[in-house]
Amino acid sequence: MSHWLVAPVLLPALLAPLMLLFLRKRLMESRVLSIASCLSLLALAGLLMAQANDGTIQTYALGDWRAPFGIILVLDRLSALMLMVTAILALAVMIYAVVTGLDRKGWHFHPLFQFQLLGLNGAFLTGDLFNLFVFFEVLLIASYGLMLHGGGAARLKAGVQYVVVNLVGSTLFLVAVGLLYGATGTLNMAHMGQRVAQAPAGDHGLILAGGLLMIAVFALKAAVVPLHFWLPRTYGSTSAPVAALFAIMTKVGAYCILRFTTVVFGDGAGELAWAPAPYLLPAALATMLLGFIGVLGARHLRQLAAFSVIGSMGTLVSAIAVFTPESTAAALYYLPHSTLAAAALFLVADQITRRRGDFGDVLSPSPVFAGAGPLSGLFFLTAIAVVGLPPLSGFPGKLLILDAVRDAPGGWWIWGFILGTTVISLLAFARAGSVLFWKSAATTGEIKASAPVAPVASALVVAGLLASLAALTLAGGPVSAYLNATGEQIYEAGAYGGAVLGPG
Amino acid sequence: MSIEFLVSTAVGVLSAAGIYLVLRGRTFPVVLGLAFMSYAINVFLFASGRLVINQPPIWGKDVAAYTDPLPQALVLTAIVIAFGMTALVVVLALRTYLETGTDQIDGLTDRSPTPLPPPEESAVLGPEASSSQEAGR
């Protein structure tokens, strides 16, 4: 058993307390260590991705306690992909936070960031349901601190709501864990899948209740309608880099929906197979519509970005909810795209807001601000990515989803909603861009704004994110090959269970 | 009256009280509601290993039946996390009250139904970040 598997969890887990204890007042060292940690996580993700690409599912038994008695970390292609997305996003966000000086605005930014990465990486690797709960709590506790970082009354108000909503979510998570444990007698997901397959008909109601409650908790994290209310206010009032980092938090929910359903309610589950699917698809379609209508109705740039996250989650979950290898592969192409595009959008919005002085991020014409030319270019490219127009990766992403769901039940609904919402978001972004840049050119007056911090470096971070989207498009062939293999691995009967529990 | 009935009504009453309080408009009842809900869940998790009396959790020489030790470990973890979270949410609610002058969850003032004007982003050092850290430890 390779020990590399535990490194993405161990590295931030060691660094965070180290920084907290010894580097409290040494910003420079903290920054160096933080960026070094993000770079190493990127390298580790690359290594693990290369290892996972040979098709084996690696497991790591913590403390050498075998499954199902101990906690197991599992690395397959899906986990490796999620680690990679997290690492890329974390590096970009960390550089942006350092160059714009966000980490100077309060205490403990760097340790909290590492705790956040610890929770994220752990959630993507673990194969145990209660361990997943613990990693959820780790990433949530860190996210509370990060969300409130920098202070301010508006942020605190939104923070209370965010924390309360997530605490209720955690409570429901425990109810679901209790129900499933009571009915199946195990917490290991692969083992639970086998037990569900053998469960007597009398237990089906209890298992179904537990499973659907679990999906509801994941849907809360993924901001699926009607559990999306916390998102616009949270993402709209926190600092831009943190909002950009939170783009991966909703994807944790989507990942867990996919992992939990395929492992526990897979084809082998008999009557209970794919039980959550019929509930997920309508909810996802509603999410898509509501998100993009929110984009159209938004009066603030940050709000617009937050609603575009909801809309893209709808698109993603609708593709996942079909539960076929092809649709999952397409969804997994769209997942990194939507994460990085949403992050880029939040950072561009931040750049624009900083330059508009008192106008802030309100979508109304203001006099021309400094650097509007290059920024309009960045905004244009980001909008192309978020809406899903060629040449950036949103276009192949949506195309792959449309192609994959053609023959699925409800596939035409997905077609209609994706195409319709693309038009809506196209209108919304065209309007936002023309208000911010074109109409501004015709407005006279002057803007009083302090000179932006590190304008070139922060624009380069956004450009880097956009370049990664372009790379995702250019490398479409190899990426699709990897993702198709991922889709097949996820749905290969008994592969996950066999790897975790051993043959027989 | 069976012990199952006693435990299940206790869980039910605690959850009902918790849900009612969480839906209130002010932060203090909400914090209490969260605490009630976490108590309900702790009892519920404990019962998910079935209710047995006078049985050892781990190996005994002449024992035929055991109680399930796993839920007890889960409950311990859940208690620690819920305790930390309650501490965090209390501090957060206090700080929000001090900064915004209202303890309404939705941030509205007590008198008028209009929301407060958005205050400027302050560069005040945030002890709330450190308190969340303490809660997480």
Side-chain angles (χ1 to χ4, degrees), chain A residues 105 107 112 115 137 141 144 148 150 153 157 160-161 171 175 181-182, chain B residues 41 48 50 68 70 74 85 88 92 96 105 107 119 121-122 125 128 133:
Chain A
K105 280 203 172 165
W107 296 340
L112 282 171
F115 274 124
E137 289 306 307
I141 294 169
Y144 302 151
L148 296 165
K157 265 189 289 183
V160 171
Q161 294 169 9
T171 315
V175 177
Y181 180 76
Chain B
I41 295 320
S48 72
R50 305 296 184 271
D68 193 340
L70 193 70
L74 301 188
M85 286 301 178
L88 168 73
L92 193 58
T96 309
I105 275 281
E121 183 176 312
S122 67
L125 290 182
E128 73 277 9
Q133 207 46 58

PDB file of all heavy atoms in Angstrom, chain A residues 105 107 112 115 137 141 144 148 150 153 157 160-161 171 175 181-182, chain B residues 41 48 50 68 70 74 85 88 92 96 105 107 119 121-122 125 128 133:
ATOM      1  N   LYS A 105      -5.671  41.293   6.433  1.00  0.00           N
ATOM      2  CA  LYS A 105      -6.847  41.963   6.989  1.00  0.00           C
ATOM      3  C   LYS A 105      -7.398  41.306   8.240  1.00  0.00           C
ATOM      4  O   LYS A 105      -8.415  41.731   8.761  1.00  0.00           O
ATOM      5  CB  LYS A 105      -7.951  42.006   5.931  1.00  0.00           C
ATOM      6  CG  LYS A 105      -7.719  43.115   4.930  1.00  0.00           C
ATOM      7  CD  LYS A 105      -9.007  43.498   4.279  1.00  0.00           C
ATOM      8  CE  LYS A 105      -8.839  44.725   3.435  1.00  0.00           C
ATOM      9  NZ  LYS A 105      -9.962  44.909   2.539  1.00  0.00           N
ATOM     10  N   TRP A 107      -6.714  37.815  11.358  1.00  0.00           N
ATOM     11  CA  TRP A 107      -5.804  36.806  11.882  1.00  0.00           C
ATOM     12  C   TRP A 107      -6.006  35.468  11.185  1.00  0.00           C
ATOM     13  O   TRP A 107      -7.104  35.133  10.771  1.00  0.00           O
ATOM     14  CB  TRP A 107      -6.046  36.614  13.374  1.00  0.00           C
ATOM     15  CG  TRP A 107      -5.741  37.834  14.167  1.00  0.00           C
ATOM     16  CD1 TRP A 107      -4.944  38.884  13.788  1.00  0.00           C
ATOM     17  CD2 TRP A 107      -6.229  38.146  15.459  1.00  0.00           C
ATOM     18  NE1 TRP A 107      -4.901  39.809  14.766  1.00  0.00           N
ATOM     19  CE2 TRP A 107      -5.681  39.397  15.810  1.00  0.00           C
ATOM     20  CE3 TRP A 107      -7.073  37.494  16.352  1.00  0.00           C
ATOM     21  CZ2 TRP A 107      -5.949  40.004  17.026  1.00  0.00           C
ATOM     22  CZ3 TRP A 107      -7.342  38.086  17.555  1.00  0.00           C
ATOM     23  CH2 TRP A 107      -6.776  39.332  17.894  1.00  0.00           C
ATOM     24  N   LEU A 112      -6.212  28.798   8.468  1.00  0.00           N
ATOM     25  CA  LEU A 112      -7.592  28.455   8.105  1.00  0.00           C
ATOM     26  C   LEU A 112      -7.646  27.901   6.698  1.00  0.00           C
ATOM     27  O   LEU A 112      -8.372  26.940   6.415  1.00  0.00           O
ATOM     28  CB  LEU A 112      -8.478  29.696   8.198  1.00  0.00           C
ATOM     29  CG  LEU A 112      -8.902  30.107   9.595  1.00  0.00           C
ATOM     30  CD1 LEU A 112      -9.575  31.457   9.559  1.00  0.00           C
ATOM     31  CD2 LEU A 112      -9.852  29.074  10.156  1.00  0.00           C
ATOM     32  N   PHE A 115      -6.527  24.371   6.802  1.00  0.00           N
ATOM     33  CA  PHE A 115      -7.575  23.507   7.373  1.00  0.00           C
ATOM     34  C   PHE A 115      -8.664  23.247   6.339  1.00  0.00           C
ATOM     35  O   PHE A 115      -9.198  22.145   6.232  1.00  0.00           O
ATOM     36  CB  PHE A 115      -8.186  24.138   8.622  1.00  0.00           C
ATOM     37  CG  PHE A 115      -7.433  23.843   9.880  1.00  0.00           C
ATOM     38  CD1 PHE A 115      -6.964  24.850  10.682  1.00  0.00           C
ATOM     39  CD2 PHE A 115      -7.196  22.533  10.257  1.00  0.00           C
ATOM     40  CE1 PHE A 115      -6.265  24.579  11.845  1.00  0.00           C
ATOM     41  CE2 PHE A 115      -6.502  22.248  11.419  1.00  0.00           C
ATOM     42  CZ  PHE A 115      -6.031  23.280  12.214  1.00  0.00           C
ATOM     43  N   GLU A 137     -17.102  18.640   8.669  1.00  0.00           N
ATOM     44  CA  GLU A 137     -17.039  19.604   9.770  1.00  0.00           C
ATOM     45  C   GLU A 137     -15.743  20.395   9.703  1.00  0.00           C
ATOM     46  O   GLU A 137     -15.738  21.605   9.914  1.00  0.00           O
ATOM     47  CB  GLU A 137     -17.158  18.886  11.116  1.00  0.00           C
ATOM     48  CG  GLU A 137     -18.526  18.341  11.396  1.00  0.00           C
ATOM     49  CD  GLU A 137     -19.606  19.393  11.282  1.00  0.00           C
ATOM     50  OE1 GLU A 137     -19.489  20.436  11.924  1.00  0.00           O
ATOM     51  OE2 GLU A 137     -20.563  19.173  10.519  1.00  0.00           O
ATOM     52  N   ILE A 141     -15.828  24.335   9.448  1.00  0.00           N
ATOM     53  CA  ILE A 141     -15.292  25.205  10.492  1.00  0.00           C
ATOM     54  C   ILE A 141     -14.298  26.174   9.878  1.00  0.00           C
ATOM     55  O   ILE A 141     -14.313  27.376  10.150  1.00  0.00           O
ATOM     56  CB  ILE A 141     -14.631  24.367  11.606  1.00  0.00           C
ATOM     57  CG1 ILE A 141     -15.670  23.536  12.330  1.00  0.00           C
ATOM     58  CG2 ILE A 141     -13.931  25.276  12.602  1.00  0.00           C
ATOM     59  CD1 ILE A 141     -15.087  22.501  13.247  1.00  0.00           C
ATOM     60  N   TYR A 144     -16.108  28.843   7.948  1.00  0.00           N
ATOM     61  CA  TYR A 144     -16.705  29.909   8.755  1.00  0.00           C
ATOM     62  C   TYR A 144     -15.675  31.012   8.991  1.00  0.00           C
ATOM     63  O   TYR A 144     -15.962  32.195   8.845  1.00  0.00           O
ATOM     64  CB  TYR A 144     -17.190  29.393  10.112  1.00  0.00           C
ATOM     65  CG  TYR A 144     -18.202  28.277  10.052  1.00  0.00           C
ATOM     66  CD1 TYR A 144     -18.283  27.343  11.066  1.00  0.00           C
ATOM     67  CD2 TYR A 144     -19.062  28.156   8.967  1.00  0.00           C
ATOM     68  CE1 TYR A 144     -19.200  26.305  11.015  1.00  0.00           C
ATOM     69  CE2 TYR A 144     -19.973  27.128   8.919  1.00  0.00           C
ATOM     70  CZ  TYR A 144     -20.033  26.212   9.943  1.00  0.00           C
ATOM     71  OH  TYR A 144     -20.936  25.182   9.892  1.00  0.00           O
ATOM     72  N   LEU A 148     -15.748  34.886   7.258  1.00  0.00           N
ATOM     73  CA  LEU A 148     -15.832  36.111   8.058  1.00  0.00           C
ATOM     74  C   LEU A 148     -14.544  36.906   7.997  1.00  0.00           C
ATOM     75  O   LEU A 148     -14.453  37.993   8.559  1.00  0.00           O
ATOM     76  CB  LEU A 148     -16.121  35.746   9.513  1.00  0.00           C
ATOM     77  CG  LEU A 148     -17.463  35.077   9.717  1.00  0.00           C
ATOM     78  CD1 LEU A 148     -17.528  34.421  11.074  1.00  0.00           C
ATOM     79  CD2 LEU A 148     -18.562  36.108   9.591  1.00  0.00           C
ATOM     80  N   GLY A 150     -11.747  39.383   7.516  1.00  0.00           N
ATOM     81  CA  GLY A 150     -11.802  40.778   7.075  1.00  0.00           C
ATOM     82  C   GLY A 150     -12.886  41.554   7.785  1.00  0.00           C
ATOM     83  O   GLY A 150     -12.883  42.770   7.765  1.00  0.00           O
ATOM     84  N   ALA A 153     -19.902  44.423   9.159  1.00  0.00           N
ATOM     85  CA  ALA A 153     -21.203  44.029   9.695  1.00  0.00           C
ATOM     86  C   ALA A 153     -21.986  43.183   8.694  1.00  0.00           C
ATOM     87  O   ALA A 153     -22.629  42.200   9.065  1.00  0.00           O
ATOM     88  CB  ALA A 153     -21.998  45.272  10.079  1.00  0.00           C
ATOM     89  N   LYS A 157     -23.495  39.430   9.425  1.00  0.00           N
ATOM     90  CA  LYS A 157     -24.910  39.058   9.332  1.00  0.00           C
ATOM     91  C   LYS A 157     -25.081  37.842   8.442  1.00  0.00           C
ATOM     92  O   LYS A 157     -25.769  36.887   8.790  1.00  0.00           O
ATOM     93  CB  LYS A 157     -25.710  40.227   8.754  1.00  0.00           C
ATOM     94  CG  LYS A 157     -26.331  41.102   9.796  1.00  0.00           C
ATOM     95  CD  LYS A 157     -27.282  42.090   9.163  1.00  0.00           C
ATOM     96  CE  LYS A 157     -26.548  43.148   8.386  1.00  0.00           C
ATOM     97  NZ  LYS A 157     -27.418  44.166   7.807  1.00  0.00           N
ATOM     98  N   VAL A 160     -23.734  34.625  10.197  1.00  0.00           N
ATOM     99  CA  VAL A 160     -24.589  33.938  11.169  1.00  0.00           C
ATOM    100  C   VAL A 160     -25.531  32.994  10.431  1.00  0.00           C
ATOM    101  O   VAL A 160     -25.693  31.831  10.804  1.00  0.00           O
ATOM    102  CB  VAL A 160     -25.382  34.955  12.012  1.00  0.00           C
ATOM    103  CG1 VAL A 160     -26.412  34.239  12.861  1.00  0.00           C
ATOM    104  CG2 VAL A 160     -24.454  35.748  12.890  1.00  0.00           C
ATOM    105  N   GLN A 161     -26.117  33.496   9.352  1.00  0.00           N
ATOM    106  CA  GLN A 161     -27.053  32.641   8.610  1.00  0.00           C
ATOM    107  C   GLN A 161     -26.349  31.429   8.023  1.00  0.00           C
ATOM    108  O   GLN A 161     -26.844  30.296   8.090  1.00  0.00           O
ATOM    109  CB  GLN A 161     -27.703  33.449   7.491  1.00  0.00           C
ATOM    110  CG  GLN A 161     -28.571  34.548   8.036  1.00  0.00           C
ATOM    111  CD  GLN A 161     -29.013  35.507   6.972  1.00  0.00           C
ATOM    112  OE1 GLN A 161     -28.818  35.290   5.789  1.00  0.00           O
ATOM    113  NE2 GLN A 161     -29.611  36.601   7.395  1.00  0.00           N
ATOM    114  N   THR A 171     -26.546  18.471  11.557  1.00  0.00           N
ATOM    115  CA  THR A 171     -27.442  17.676  12.396  1.00  0.00           C
ATOM    116  C   THR A 171     -28.175  16.641  11.549  1.00  0.00           C
ATOM    117  O   THR A 171     -28.277  15.464  11.920  1.00  0.00           O
ATOM    118  CB  THR A 171     -28.459  18.597  13.088  1.00  0.00           C
ATOM    119  OG1 THR A 171     -27.763  19.722  13.597  1.00  0.00           O
ATOM    120  CG2 THR A 171     -29.153  17.902  14.205  1.00  0.00           C
ATOM    121  N   VAL A 175     -28.374  12.494  11.595  1.00  0.00           N
ATOM    122  CA  VAL A 175     -29.610  11.703  11.594  1.00  0.00           C
ATOM    123  C   VAL A 175     -29.528  10.639  10.501  1.00  0.00           C
ATOM    124  O   VAL A 175     -29.834   9.457  10.724  1.00  0.00           O
ATOM    125  CB  VAL A 175     -30.843  12.594  11.364  1.00  0.00           C
ATOM    126  CG1 VAL A 175     -32.095  11.742  11.297  1.00  0.00           C
ATOM    127  CG2 VAL A 175     -30.980  13.606  12.468  1.00  0.00           C
ATOM    128  N   TYR A 181     -26.846   3.519   9.730  1.00  0.00           N
ATOM    129  CA  TYR A 181     -26.115   2.580  10.583  1.00  0.00           C
ATOM    130  C   TYR A 181     -27.084   1.639  11.292  1.00  0.00           C
ATOM    131  O   TYR A 181     -26.844   0.434  11.383  1.00  0.00           O
ATOM    132  CB  TYR A 181     -25.263   3.324  11.617  1.00  0.00           C
ATOM    133  CG  TYR A 181     -24.500   2.394  12.506  1.00  0.00           C
ATOM    134  CD1 TYR A 181     -23.373   1.746  12.026  1.00  0.00           C
ATOM    135  CD2 TYR A 181     -24.931   2.108  13.792  1.00  0.00           C
ATOM    136  CE1 TYR A 181     -22.680   0.843  12.808  1.00  0.00           C
ATOM    137  CE2 TYR A 181     -24.252   1.213  14.593  1.00  0.00           C
ATOM    138  CZ  TYR A 181     -23.125   0.590  14.092  1.00  0.00           C
ATOM    139  OH  TYR A 181     -22.451  -0.314  14.879  1.00  0.00           O
ATOM    140  N   GLY A 182     -28.189   2.195  11.759  1.00  0.00           N
ATOM    141  CA  GLY A 182     -29.173   1.350  12.430  1.00  0.00           C
ATOM    142  C   GLY A 182     -29.710   0.255  11.512  1.00  0.00           C
ATOM    143  O   GLY A 182     -29.956  -0.863  11.938  1.00  0.00           O
TER     144      GLY A 182
ATOM    145  N   ILE B  41     -29.956  14.519  18.584  1.00  0.00           N
ATOM    146  CA  ILE B  41     -29.191  13.661  17.687  1.00  0.00           C
ATOM    147  C   ILE B  41     -28.269  12.739  18.466  1.00  0.00           C
ATOM    148  O   ILE B  41     -28.087  11.579  18.102  1.00  0.00           O
ATOM    149  CB  ILE B  41     -28.369  14.529  16.708  1.00  0.00           C
ATOM    150  CG1 ILE B  41     -29.312  15.292  15.810  1.00  0.00           C
ATOM    151  CG2 ILE B  41     -27.438  13.679  15.873  1.00  0.00           C
ATOM    152  CD1 ILE B  41     -30.478  14.519  15.367  1.00  0.00           C
ATOM    153  N   SER B  48     -29.112   4.141  17.791  1.00  0.00           N
ATOM    154  CA  SER B  48     -29.022   3.444  16.502  1.00  0.00           C
ATOM    155  C   SER B  48     -28.267   2.120  16.633  1.00  0.00           C
ATOM    156  O   SER B  48     -28.331   1.290  15.748  1.00  0.00           O
ATOM    157  CB  SER B  48     -28.348   4.343  15.460  1.00  0.00           C
ATOM    158  OG  SER B  48     -26.978   4.448  15.736  1.00  0.00           O
ATOM    159  N   ARG B  50     -29.125  -0.008  18.839  1.00  0.00           N
ATOM    160  CA  ARG B  50     -30.150  -0.735  19.593  1.00  0.00           C
ATOM    161  C   ARG B  50     -29.973  -0.526  21.098  1.00  0.00           C
ATOM    162  O   ARG B  50     -28.866  -0.355  21.589  1.00  0.00           O
ATOM    163  CB  ARG B  50     -30.137  -2.255  19.296  1.00  0.00           C
ATOM    164  CG  ARG B  50     -30.270  -2.594  17.825  1.00  0.00           C
ATOM    165  CD  ARG B  50     -31.624  -2.153  17.270  1.00  0.00           C
ATOM    166  NE  ARG B  50     -31.766  -2.564  15.881  1.00  0.00           N
ATOM    167  CZ  ARG B  50     -31.383  -1.822  14.841  1.00  0.00           C
ATOM    168  NH1 ARG B  50     -30.814  -0.645  15.057  1.00  0.00           N
ATOM    169  NH2 ARG B  50     -31.564  -2.253  13.614  1.00  0.00           N
ATOM    170  N   ASP B  68     -23.560  -2.517  21.180  1.00  0.00           N
ATOM    171  CA  ASP B  68     -22.744  -2.051  20.055  1.00  0.00           C
ATOM    172  C   ASP B  68     -21.854  -0.893  20.516  1.00  0.00           C
ATOM    173  O   ASP B  68     -22.357   0.139  20.965  1.00  0.00           O
ATOM    174  CB  ASP B  68     -23.694  -1.589  18.937  1.00  0.00           C
ATOM    175  CG  ASP B  68     -22.959  -1.392  17.644  1.00  0.00           C
ATOM    176  OD1 ASP B  68     -21.730  -1.240  17.692  1.00  0.00           O
ATOM    177  OD2 ASP B  68     -23.613  -1.374  16.590  1.00  0.00           O
ATOM    178  N   LEU B  70     -19.807   0.974  18.699  1.00  0.00           N
ATOM    179  CA  LEU B  70     -19.526   2.011  17.699  1.00  0.00           C
ATOM    180  C   LEU B  70     -20.344   3.286  17.898  1.00  0.00           C
ATOM    181  O   LEU B  70     -19.776   4.382  17.902  1.00  0.00           O
ATOM    182  CB  LEU B  70     -19.733   1.443  16.293  1.00  0.00           C
ATOM    183  CG  LEU B  70     -19.169   2.332  15.199  1.00  0.00           C
ATOM    184  CD1 LEU B  70     -17.655   2.324  15.247  1.00  0.00           C
ATOM    185  CD2 LEU B  70     -19.649   1.883  13.838  1.00  0.00           C
ATOM    186  N   LEU B  74     -19.230   7.265  18.141  1.00  0.00           N
ATOM    187  CA  LEU B  74     -19.783   8.303  17.263  1.00  0.00           C
ATOM    188  C   LEU B  74     -20.361   9.446  18.085  1.00  0.00           C
ATOM    189  O   LEU B  74     -20.167  10.614  17.771  1.00  0.00           O
ATOM    190  CB  LEU B  74     -20.880   7.720  16.363  1.00  0.00           C
ATOM    191  CG  LEU B  74     -20.517   6.580  15.427  1.00  0.00           C
ATOM    192  CD1 LEU B  74     -21.681   6.284  14.498  1.00  0.00           C
ATOM    193  CD2 LEU B  74     -19.289   6.904  14.627  1.00  0.00           C
ATOM    194  N   MET B  85     -19.107  23.875  18.038  1.00  0.00           N
ATOM    195  CA  MET B  85     -19.955  24.669  17.152  1.00  0.00           C
ATOM    196  C   MET B  85     -20.839  25.629  17.942  1.00  0.00           C
ATOM    197  O   MET B  85     -21.063  26.760  17.541  1.00  0.00           O
ATOM    198  CB  MET B  85     -20.850  23.748  16.333  1.00  0.00           C
ATOM    199  CG  MET B  85     -20.109  23.043  15.263  1.00  0.00           C
ATOM    200  SD  MET B  85     -19.362  24.261  14.173  1.00  0.00           S
ATOM    201  CE  MET B  85     -18.529  23.200  13.077  1.00  0.00           C
ATOM    202  N   LEU B  88     -18.810  28.503  18.982  1.00  0.00           N
ATOM    203  CA  LEU B  88     -18.567  29.386  17.843  1.00  0.00           C
ATOM    204  C   LEU B  88     -19.785  30.247  17.544  1.00  0.00           C
ATOM    205  O   LEU B  88     -19.678  31.468  17.360  1.00  0.00           O
ATOM    206  CB  LEU B  88     -18.217  28.546  16.610  1.00  0.00           C
ATOM    207  CG  LEU B  88     -18.224  29.319  15.294  1.00  0.00           C
ATOM    208  CD1 LEU B  88     -17.020  30.225  15.219  1.00  0.00           C
ATOM    209  CD2 LEU B  88     -18.248  28.387  14.111  1.00  0.00           C
ATOM    210  N   LEU B  92     -20.162  34.283  17.618  1.00  0.00           N
ATOM    211  CA  LEU B  92     -20.529  34.939  16.364  1.00  0.00           C
ATOM    212  C   LEU B  92     -21.781  35.790  16.551  1.00  0.00           C
ATOM    213  O   LEU B  92     -21.847  36.947  16.096  1.00  0.00           O
ATOM    214  CB  LEU B  92     -20.773  33.852  15.318  1.00  0.00           C
ATOM    215  CG  LEU B  92     -20.876  34.293  13.881  1.00  0.00           C
ATOM    216  CD1 LEU B  92     -19.613  35.003  13.472  1.00  0.00           C
ATOM    217  CD2 LEU B  92     -21.092  33.079  13.006  1.00  0.00           C
ATOM    218  N   THR B  96     -21.998  39.805  16.186  1.00  0.00           N
ATOM    219  CA  THR B  96     -22.923  40.403  15.229  1.00  0.00           C
ATOM    220  C   THR B  96     -23.815  41.412  15.934  1.00  0.00           C
ATOM    221  O   THR B  96     -24.079  42.501  15.422  1.00  0.00           O
ATOM    222  CB  THR B  96     -23.790  39.314  14.588  1.00  0.00           C
ATOM    223  OG1 THR B  96     -22.930  38.286  14.101  1.00  0.00           O
ATOM    224  CG2 THR B  96     -24.598  39.855  13.435  1.00  0.00           C
ATOM    225  N   ILE B 105     -31.933  37.502  13.364  1.00  0.00           N
ATOM    226  CA  ILE B 105     -31.149  36.640  12.477  1.00  0.00           C
ATOM    227  C   ILE B 105     -31.021  37.242  11.086  1.00  0.00           C
ATOM    228  O   ILE B 105     -29.980  37.172  10.445  1.00  0.00           O
ATOM    229  CB  ILE B 105     -31.819  35.251  12.393  1.00  0.00           C
ATOM    230  CG1 ILE B 105     -31.360  34.386  13.552  1.00  0.00           C
ATOM    231  CG2 ILE B 105     -31.517  34.562  11.102  1.00  0.00           C
ATOM    232  CD1 ILE B 105     -30.012  33.777  13.396  1.00  0.00           C
ATOM    233  N   GLY B 107     -30.941  40.282  10.289  1.00  0.00           N
ATOM    234  CA  GLY B 107     -30.215  41.551  10.267  1.00  0.00           C
ATOM    235  C   GLY B 107     -31.098  42.772  10.190  1.00  0.00           C
ATOM    236  O   GLY B 107     -30.607  43.876   9.998  1.00  0.00           O
ATOM    237  N   PRO B 119     -22.807  48.748   5.988  1.00  0.00           N
ATOM    238  CA  PRO B 119     -21.663  49.476   6.522  1.00  0.00           C
ATOM    239  C   PRO B 119     -20.429  49.235   5.662  1.00  0.00           C
ATOM    240  O   PRO B 119     -20.354  48.249   4.928  1.00  0.00           O
ATOM    241  CB  PRO B 119     -21.484  48.871   7.907  1.00  0.00           C
ATOM    242  CG  PRO B 119     -22.486  47.800   8.037  1.00  0.00           C
ATOM    243  CD  PRO B 119     -23.107  47.551   6.712  1.00  0.00           C
ATOM    244  N   GLU B 121     -16.743  48.226   4.677  1.00  0.00           N
ATOM    245  CA  GLU B 121     -15.917  47.105   5.109  1.00  0.00           C
ATOM    246  C   GLU B 121     -14.814  47.638   6.015  1.00  0.00           C
ATOM    247  O   GLU B 121     -14.068  48.522   5.648  1.00  0.00           O
ATOM    248  CB  GLU B 121     -15.300  46.436   3.888  1.00  0.00           C
ATOM    249  CG  GLU B 121     -14.484  45.228   4.243  1.00  0.00           C
ATOM    250  CD  GLU B 121     -13.968  44.542   2.985  1.00  0.00           C
ATOM    251  OE1 GLU B 121     -14.763  44.319   2.064  1.00  0.00           O
ATOM    252  OE2 GLU B 121     -12.778  44.261   2.946  1.00  0.00           O
ATOM    253  N   SER B 122     -14.771  47.126   7.226  1.00  0.00           N
ATOM    254  CA  SER B 122     -13.765  47.631   8.150  1.00  0.00           C
ATOM    255  C   SER B 122     -12.543  46.727   8.128  1.00  0.00           C
ATOM    256  O   SER B 122     -12.626  45.549   7.836  1.00  0.00           O
ATOM    257  CB  SER B 122     -14.344  47.678   9.556  1.00  0.00           C
ATOM    258  OG  SER B 122     -14.585  46.363   9.994  1.00  0.00           O
ATOM    259  N   LEU B 125      -9.197  43.965  12.939  1.00  0.00           N
ATOM    260  CA  LEU B 125      -8.733  42.585  13.072  1.00  0.00           C
ATOM    261  C   LEU B 125      -9.883  41.749  13.599  1.00  0.00           C
ATOM    262  O   LEU B 125     -10.614  42.175  14.483  1.00  0.00           O
ATOM    263  CB  LEU B 125      -7.555  42.520  14.035  1.00  0.00           C
ATOM    264  CG  LEU B 125      -6.274  43.153  13.489  1.00  0.00           C
ATOM    265  CD1 LEU B 125      -5.163  42.975  14.502  1.00  0.00           C
ATOM    266  CD2 LEU B 125      -5.874  42.537  12.181  1.00  0.00           C
ATOM    267  N   GLU B 128     -13.068  36.919  15.577  1.00  0.00           N
ATOM    268  CA  GLU B 128     -13.968  35.787  15.325  1.00  0.00           C
ATOM    269  C   GLU B 128     -13.257  34.666  14.605  1.00  0.00           C
ATOM    270  O   GLU B 128     -13.569  33.503  14.757  1.00  0.00           O
ATOM    271  CB  GLU B 128     -15.208  36.238  14.543  1.00  0.00           C
ATOM    272  CG  GLU B 128     -14.975  36.557  13.092  1.00  0.00           C
ATOM    273  CD  GLU B 128     -14.463  37.968  12.927  1.00  0.00           C
ATOM    274  OE1 GLU B 128     -14.139  38.612  13.952  1.00  0.00           O
ATOM    275  OE2 GLU B 128     -14.339  38.428  11.815  1.00  0.00           O
ATOM    276  N   GLN B 133     -11.234  29.101  15.342  1.00  0.00           N
ATOM    277  CA  GLN B 133     -10.097  28.200  15.404  1.00  0.00           C
ATOM    278  C   GLN B 133     -10.110  27.412  16.699  1.00  0.00           C
ATOM    279  O   GLN B 133      -9.923  26.209  16.717  1.00  0.00           O
ATOM    280  CB  GLN B 133      -8.821  29.060  15.348  1.00  0.00           C
ATOM    281  CG  GLN B 133      -7.677  28.324  14.771  1.00  0.00           C
ATOM    282  CD  GLN B 133      -8.102  27.606  13.520  1.00  0.00           C
ATOM    283  OE1 GLN B 133      -8.579  28.196  12.577  1.00  0.00           O
ATOM    284  NE2 GLN B 133      -7.983  26.304  13.520  1.00  0.00           N
TER     285      GLN B 133
END
